[in-house]
Amino acid sequence: MAEHGQVAGIDVGGTFTDLLHLDPATGAVRLSKVPTTVDNQAAGVMAALAAAGTDLARLALIVHGTTTTTNAVLERKLSRTGLITTRGFRDILELGRRTRPRAYGMTGTFTPLIPRQLRLEVPERMDAEGRVVVPLDLAAVREAAETLRAAGCEAVVIHFLHAYANPDHERQAAETVAEVWPNDHITMGHAILSESREFERGVTAAVNASVQPILDRYLSRLRSDLAAGGYPGDVLVMTGNGGMVSSARVAAEAAKTVMSGPASGVMAAACTGRASGLTNLITYDMGGTSTDVALIRDAEPAVSSETEIEYAMPIHVPMVDVRTVGAGGGSIARVDSAGLLRIGPDSAGALPGPICYGHGGTDPTISDANLLLGRLNPDALGVPGGVDTAAVAAVFAQRLGAPLGLDPVGAAAAVIRVANTVMAGAVRMVSVSLGADPRDFALFAFGGAGPLHAAALAAELGIPRVLVPARPGITNALGCMVADLRHDFVQTVNTPVDDLPAERLSEIFAMQRTAGEAMIAAEPVSLRGLRHMYSLDMQFAGQTHLLRVPLPDPGVDRAMVRRLFETAYRDRFRVDLSEIRAQVVNANCSVIGIRPPLDLSTLIDPAGRRNTLADAMIGERPVFFDTGWHRTPVYRREHLPTDVALTGPAVIEQMDTTTLVPPGCRAWGDAIGNIVIDVTGGAA
């Protein structure tokens, strides 16, 4: 099977495309990091494979994390899509929840995914119990499909009001549309999300349809390029829930690949933390464009079905609960009209990139600030003729220093402090705002820039330890290698607990479990077992928001369901409302195919870690911390001894990132090549 041959994990980010290639037979590891080719991401994937010297004919499996769908949605570069819906409900996608883009003002705009002229109505109506009220008019469905096709639509959504209760009308409509539609880009709302809320279900289906042709074209091109290069196998694509699915089938549920890239990094963190004995983690992925953070408790990433990636854009399929802020190494710093220093969200990207990359960038960025503070090695950036540090300083002096009354170093230090504040806010969103105390976790720092900022961030948040994995800059690619197969199912129940038939939940879970196991069995990947997770989305009667309640097994009775919900509600909100009736809204089942474990100790050649600390030292340079300039030793990460122990200040360099250990902080290595930093005694 695939797991016994050579495997490549590839993650396409906004700035870089990362590759990790493993040969289980020899333990050999190959790495590459190349600029992302935004216009054709497949070209960047092929370039990463070539840079690593990968023989495609000898690869057994490629697992791929992609930003194709996420970027398409955020940038609104979507396929022209039409909607066929129940008469009287064409404006659901636009009316939404009647909220405002800006909660404290009357400004802001909203553009629905599907314009009104492409949202067509047909006679049809089910009631909330799934009983036919108005029969479906198939002639009207055919006419609507022909109208949308003539309008140039590539994809179509069929979204009927109560299809979650009875999907027969959606299925009949899909069969009729297929008779006139030129491709198979037909999305039934209930097939993507079988929940009662028509706005969330409709938007999720609209996202799926509008990115489906884009993802399909991209993966077809990638498979073609790989086959031409001699690759004989399938490509598995990471999904937002931290699992993966065959590229041949993933386009049908394209919405589930939104946040694919960030999810892969969280899965790598969970795997690494489990192996190192640190199972409660806050993941901190600072790349070139943005920073992603997530919470892992007991080695299990938090998964949410309530994701809203921008205003009025809910995608209610299970996704790893990742929060993103526009602060990455390439994020641009500026002084606004009020005289305040701002960071991002716009980024210099892969091209032209930060000034210090030497690709023509002219805007001051976080990476440039780290360079001026001595934290980045100018000789390691690969700029022909070297980095013009004086030119970087001049830009900081003119664009930031002059309006702020600071010299270039002061301006650079201010950029770092503001960026850290922005990122600390994101960490609080996944911890403090959800009732978790950051002091009970370790900060898992990765991405090309994460280990540079991690110690300062941890100190600000009261997080006692930082865990820096062996290959921080390619951790998302590692996540593709270690992720399990996973399929999630949601079924609306919408019944008070007291009225719930005893066998109802067991029947739903059994159907979901059977469907998931069949889908996993169809994948060409060897597994070492299956795991099932069950949960309920619940609320007290009269509430709007849902709370997910994990179940110990699928056969729980009503009394236990009520007790579990009341406990979860009290833990989350510190309020006891047991006198109010509880209601089960959705039943959820996750079927997980567990892949064989990866030996993480091979990510850094063990032979190189038999040195002494003195052997690993490659020089010294002045580095600026909050207390001023410090003469700081610089170490080569790959040559650090396995049991390394040092006290900051220190800079640790490797191919994919730089790790900063502030003065007074203690750092040591573990058996699988991670570095643990105790920040309780240090300063940034």
Side-chain angles (χ1 to χ4, degrees):
M1 297 292 286
E3 301 295 337
H4 298 145
Q6 297 184 26
V7 185
I10 304 170
D11 175 70
V12 179
T15 304
F16 290 106
T17 295
D18 303 327
L19 177 138
L20 174 62
H21 173 183
L22 175 66
D23 184 349
T26 64
V29 174
R30 297 180 183 178
L31 310 170
S32 65
K33 180 182 280 285
V34 302
T36 291
T37 49
V38 178
D39 294 335
N40 175 13
Q41 291 186 359
V45 172
M46 299 305 293
L49 288 162
T54 298
D55 183 352
L56 288 173
R58 300 186 65 185
L59 272 182
L61 180 66
I62 292 176
V63 186
H64 178 27
T66 177
T67 56
T68 298
T69 51
T70 308
N71 291 345
V73 173
L74 293 177
E75 298 172 11
R76 293 298 183 99
K77 296 179 179 178
L78 302 166
S79 300
R80 190 170 176 83
T81 301
L83 172 73
I84 299 175
T85 191
T86 304
R87 176 168 289 173
F89 290 89
R90 69 188 293 191
D91 293 323
I92 284 294
L93 300 188
E94 198 158 349
L95 293 174
R97 294 293 169 198
R98 300 308 298 254
T99 57
R100 297 192 297 266
R102 296 182 181 177
Y104 298 102
M106 299 299 292
T107 62
T109 60
F110 166 65
T111 303
L113 285 174
I114 301 175
R116 196 169 196 269
Q117 69 270 20
L118 299 180
R119 305 195 302 258
L120 306 183
E121 301 175 344
V122 298
E124 176 279 335
R125 189 66 176 265
M126 297 271 186
D127 67 14
E129 302 298 323
R131 296 175 297 232
V132 176
V133 177
V134 177
L136 175 64
D137 187 336
L138 290 177
V141 171
R142 180 181 293 273
E143 181 181 352
E146 290 172 342
T147 299
L148 293 173
R149 180 180 178 181
C153 292
E154 281 190 89
V156 63
V157 179
I158 300 169
H159 173 50
F160 294 153
L161 183 61
H162 292 301
Y164 64 91
N166 184 347
D168 284 352
H169 281 180
E170 282 196 354
R171 289 170 179 159
Q172 294 173 33
E175 292 173 359
T176 299
V177 171
E179 295 172 4
V180 300
W181 206 252
N183 54 51
D184 60 357
H185 301 323
I186 301 170
T187 294
M188 295 181 291
H190 82 274
I192 302 299
L193 178 63
S194 188
E195 76 165 40
S196 58
R197 293 175 290 183
E198 63 274 8
F199 169 60
E200 288 79 4
R201 176 162 36 96
V203 172
T204 302
V207 168
N208 190 82
S210 59
V211 300
Q212 190 177 41
I214 297 167
L215 183 63
D216 194 27
R217 281 193 293 269
Y218 166 63
L219 291 175
S220 296
R221 182 168 57 239
L222 178 60
R223 285 195 300 266
S224 176
D225 290 349
L226 290 168
Y231 176 59
D234 190 14
V235 177
L236 296 182
V237 179
M238 287 289 301
T239 52
N241 64 6
M244 61 184 75
V245 67
S246 168
S247 64
R249 296 191 295 111
V250 72
E253 297 182 331
K256 294 183 178 180
T257 65
V258 174
M259 301 303 286
S260 159
S264 63
V266 178
M267 301 315 294
C271 176
T272 305
R274 191 181 303 115
S276 65
L278 294 173
T279 56
N280 289 338
L281 299 171
I282 295 173
T283 69
Y284 164 52
D285 174 11
M286 183 179 179
T289 306
S290 61
T291 290
D292 302 317
V293 298
L295 190 76
I296 298 175
R297 198 190 296 270
D298 297 327
E300 198 67 53
V303 174
S304 172
S305 296
E306 300 279 313
T307 303
E308 186 169 10
I309 63 172
E310 64 175 44
Y311 171 73
M313 191 70 68
I315 303 181
H316 280 201
V317 295
M319 296 182 191
V320 174
D321 191 9
V322 176
R323 309 297 173 93
T324 301
V325 292
S331 293
I332 296 171
R334 63 172 54 81
V335 177
D336 66 14
S337 58
L340 299 176
L341 179 61
R342 302 288 187 185
I343 308 296
D346 49 331
S347 170
L351 287 174
I355 306 169
C356 61
Y357 281 14
H359 298 312
T362 58
D363 293 314
T365 67
I366 294 175
S367 289
D368 295 312
N370 277 313
L371 176 81
L372 291 181
L373 299 179
R375 302 176 179 193
L376 282 181
N377 180 0
D379 298 330
L381 296 176
V383 178
V387 177
D388 189 348
T389 305
V392 177
V395 171
F396 270 71
Q398 178 184 1
R399 303 270 290 275
L400 304 178
L404 295 173
L406 299 170
D407 62 15
V409 170
V415 167
I416 298 301
R417 285 196 296 273
V418 172
N420 288 347
T421 299
V422 171
M423 293 183 285
V427 172
R428 292 186 180 99
M429 282 194 296
V430 300
S431 56
V432 177
S433 68
L434 300 179
D437 189 338
R439 293 173 295 183
D440 297 333
F441 295 79
L443 189 67
F444 186 91
F446 62 108
L452 267 174
H453 295 255
L457 201 60
E460 178 172 339
L461 292 162
I463 299 173
R465 288 183 177 179
V466 173
L467 179 64
V468 182
R471 296 292 183 183
I474 52 91
T475 296
N476 285 43
L478 173 64
C480 296
M481 304 275 284
V482 302
D484 296 320
L485 300 180
R486 177 168 175 157
H487 293 282
D488 296 307
F489 301 89
V490 181
Q491 177 61 55
T492 289
V493 178
N494 224 12
T495 305
V497 173
D498 294 338
D499 300 337
L500 193 64
E503 69 284 354
R504 177 64 171 146
L505 292 180
S506 296
E507 291 172 351
I508 292 174
F509 288 141
M511 289 187 294
Q512 294 173 329
R513 183 171 61 245
T514 299
E517 290 175 355
M519 296 171 73
I520 284 178
E523 302 289 5
V525 178
S526 62
L527 302 173
R528 60 185 180 95
L530 290 174
R531 185 161 65 99
H532 305 86
M533 297 171 60
Y534 306 96
S535 65
L536 300 174
D537 293 330
M538 299 183 64
Q539 60 188 192
F540 284 117
Q543 289 185 323
T544 300
H545 297 291
L546 303 178
L547 186 65
R548 177 151 294 186
V549 180
L551 301 181
D553 63 74
V556 294
D557 59 24
R558 287 182 295 194
M560 179 171 284
V561 167
R562 188 184 304 105
R563 195 160 53 247
L564 289 170
F565 172 62
E566 291 171 358
T567 300
Y569 197 92
R570 186 166 51 251
D571 290 345
R572 174 66 179 85
F573 297 106
R574 300 294 190 266
V575 175
D576 189 342
L577 300 176
S578 54
E579 70 278 5
I580 304 177
R581 297 181 75 193
Q583 180 157 315
V584 175
V585 179
N586 300 314
N588 315 296
C589 175
S590 299
V591 184
I592 301 169
I594 304 171
R595 295 170 65 199
L598 181 69
D599 184 1
L600 300 178
S601 66
T602 64
L603 295 178
I604 292 181
D605 186 358
R609 295 191 282 135
R610 300 190 187 111
N611 302 302
T612 66
L613 184 60
D615 294 329
M617 184 172 171
I618 55 177
E620 289 185 332
R621 67 170 178 262
V623 177
F624 187 89
F625 296 91
D626 280 351
T627 53
W629 290 96
H630 292 253
R631 193 70 186 171
T632 303
V634 181
Y635 301 97
R636 173 59 56 191
R637 172 76 180 267
E638 292 83 357
H639 296 163
L640 288 174
T642 302
D643 59 351
V644 61
L646 58 85
T647 300
V651 172
I652 303 171
E653 296 181 350
Q654 58 192 106
M655 180 275 285
D656 49 316
T657 195
T658 298
T659 300
L660 192 68
V661 183
C665 292
R666 296 184 302 110
W668 62 90
D670 67 14
I672 60 174
N674 301 314
I675 292 176
V676 181
I677 305 173
D678 184 335
V679 303
T680 56

